[in-house]
Amino acid sequence: MGKFGFLVHPLSIEDVAKKYKIARKVSPKLVAGVLKRRRPFVISEATGIISSTGAEAKGWFIAVPLLPHQMLELDEEFVIEKIVKACKIARKRGARIVGLGAFTALVGNGGRRIADRIDIAVTTGNTYTVVTAIEGIKRAAAVMDIDLSEACLAVVGATGSIGSACAQCLAPEVGELRLVGRNMERLEYLVGEVKRISKKDAIISTDISACVREADVIISVTGAVGDVILPEDIKPGAVICDVARPRDVSQRVAEARDDVLVIEGGIVNVPGDADLNFDFGLPKGMALACMAETMILALEGRYEDYTLGKDISVEKIEEMQELAKKHGFELAGLRSFDKAMTPAQIEEVKRNAWSHKAKFH
């Protein structure tokens, strides 16, 4: 049986309050202070993961008790040490590979410094997240009758590993490409890579609002702590694939824009009778793609460092796509703000989009 560990952490005070209700009654600063002193711990054991090949896997989810802003603001060495301790807990349980979830994948040079300090394999899960983000945006564009070859695609968070890989893979298939990031020098490097691989040019910018307003299709995958995609910036009829955790798309979009389709990126059905035995905000049998990549590697017996750092090759993306298919993992239906979307709801979004477009033409 394949055995894996996966690291998670609270994305908000609300997440902390799911386990410790008192967190809602005290100051966020006090909650953060308590978390900082807390040791990593096991929160659940995932069971029932059975591949189409018959292979089985189980794993342990280990909580790294730090909030997103603490992952970014505390001394990096302190954060890395806490993540390493969590990895060692997974190893003691029997895991032979550990996945780095959410912000634990951002620190330490995309997991490289963590991998250097432990003697089991490490992956961020970002390769399968790229696979599912691309599949998701293509599926969503199709149901909204958007022809990608004529569409403007904006990748927000383009210089990160997931954004960069999505941009390079989708560049040949879209009409126009806009890359948004915080660092212009890194954007210039990325546009050079996109040109080299696909012969496609791209517009680069650090202004999220300006780029998003022109886009028909948006993939957002920043490491921001707060919202970056706001309702007033989105074009009627646009499709947004929000891959980030915490989300990049403001909850206000769900409330104020009934003419745009927001889907959650990177959510997959896990084969077998899988139960993560913890409320990650997903129905039983579903997991985030980053979790799934770790499961797939355990099922495959590939106990080696897999996705680390900022660069994800096209070859690795294709390999993970094949491995996922082999073991029976597949993209879950279109989901938006924690809920599955029905065909009727999607048709309503399309009607609203046409209505809004008619008003402005």
Side-chain angles (χ1 to χ4, degrees):
M1 176 177 287
K3 295 180 181 178
F4 68 91
F6 193 85
L7 307 193
V8 296
H9 65 88
L11 299 178
S12 65
I13 295 293
E14 275 303 305
D15 280 352
V16 181
K18 288 179 183 175
K19 185 171 179 62
Y20 306 107
K21 292 181 180 177
I22 195 172
R24 292 194 184 95
K25 300 178 180 177
V26 299
S27 74
K29 188 175 179 181
L30 178 59
V31 174
V34 172
L35 290 176
K36 184 180 174 182
R37 292 190 294 275
R38 186 86 160 81
R39 289 174 176 272
F41 57 96
V42 176
I43 60 168
S44 74
E45 180 176 327
T47 56
I49 303 164
I50 305 173
S51 161
S52 304
T53 67
E56 298 183 31
K58 71 174 182 179
W60 297 268
F61 287 89
I62 316 293
V64 179
L66 290 174
L67 290 159
H69 73 87
Q70 292 178 295
M71 292 274 184
L72 300 177
E73 295 167 2
L74 290 172
D75 177 72
E76 188 178 45
E77 188 58 33
F78 174 85
V79 177
I80 287 174
E81 187 56 33
K82 200 162 229 183
I83 293 171
V84 167
K85 284 178 181 174
C87 292
K88 288 179 178 176
I89 291 173
R91 186 190 60 186
K92 282 183 181 177
R93 290 291 181 120
R96 297 181 64 189
I97 185 168
V98 64
L100 305 177
F103 280 56
T104 67
L106 298 181
V107 299
N109 191 21
R112 290 190 185 281
R113 291 181 62 191
I114 286 109
D116 288 342
R117 295 195 189 186
I118 58 173
D119 55 5
I120 58 174
V122 176
T123 187
T124 62
N126 285 351
T127 302
Y128 192 40
T129 299
V130 171
V131 171
T132 57
I134 292 171
E135 288 181 4
I137 204 71
K138 287 183 176 179
R139 188 182 296 186
V143 299
M144 288 292 283
D145 298 328
I146 294 175
D147 181 353
L148 280 180
S149 67
E150 297 181 356
C152 171
L153 167 68
V155 181
V156 182
T159 56
S161 62
I162 298 172
S164 171
C166 287
Q168 292 178 53
C169 289
L170 285 169
E173 302 186 42
V174 298
E176 180 182 332
L177 180 62
R178 292 173 178 247
L179 306 175
V180 190
R182 287 178 296 187
N183 185 307
M184 190 56 82
E185 189 176 337
R186 288 170 60 187
L187 284 168
E188 287 170 352
Y189 174 80
L190 176 59
V191 80
E193 287 298 291
V194 170
K195 274 186 188 176
R196 183 178 65 80
I197 294 169
S198 67
K199 314 298 181 192
K200 190 92 174 187
D201 206 348
I203 295 170
I204 57 176
S205 175
T206 57
D207 187 336
I208 294 174
S209 295
C211 275
V212 164
R213 285 192 195 108
E214 302 299 323
D216 305 295
V217 181
I218 302 161
I219 293 177
S220 194
V221 57
T222 75
V225 174
D227 304 333
V228 300
I229 307 292
L230 306 175
E232 54 270 28
D233 293 334
I234 308 168
K235 191 175 180 179
V239 167
I240 308 167
C241 180
D242 190 351
V243 187
R245 296 291 181 279
R247 289 190 179 94
D248 282 342
V249 179
S250 168
Q251 181 68 33
R252 291 195 295 117
V253 174
E255 297 157 2
R257 296 298 302 268
D258 59 6
D259 60 328
V260 299
L261 180 62
V262 181
I263 63 165
E264 295 171 348
I267 297 176
V268 298
N269 293 319
V270 180
D273 186 27
D275 194 338
L276 306 186
N277 290 302
F278 188 81
D279 179 13
F280 289 107
L282 298 170
K284 182 177 179 289
M286 290 187 189
L288 296 174
C290 52
M291 298 172 179
E293 178 175 309
T294 316
M295 297 173 190
I296 291 166
L297 292 170
L299 287 167
E300 187 70 9
R302 289 277 295 271
Y303 296 121
E304 61 191 64
D305 294 343
Y306 196 80
T307 312
L308 291 176
K310 291 187 178 297
D311 297 323
I312 302 175
S313 69
V314 173
E315 291 75 18
K316 193 162 265 188
I317 291 168
E318 292 172 349
E319 179 185 56
M320 182 49 63
Q321 194 170 23
E322 287 302 312
L323 289 177
K325 187 177 177 183
K326 171 183 173 182
H327 290 288
F329 289 76
E330 61 179 10
L331 191 68
L334 298 181
R335 296 178 59 81
S336 185
F337 294 100
D338 293 333
K339 294 178 182 174
M341 293 202 76
T342 65
Q345 288 172 321
I346 293 170
E347 283 302 314
E348 187 176 350
V349 172
K350 287 167 69 174
R351 282 197 301 273
N352 293 333
W354 280 110
S355 176
H356 278 73
K357 287 175 183 175
K359 286 180 185 175
F360 294 99
H361 285 86

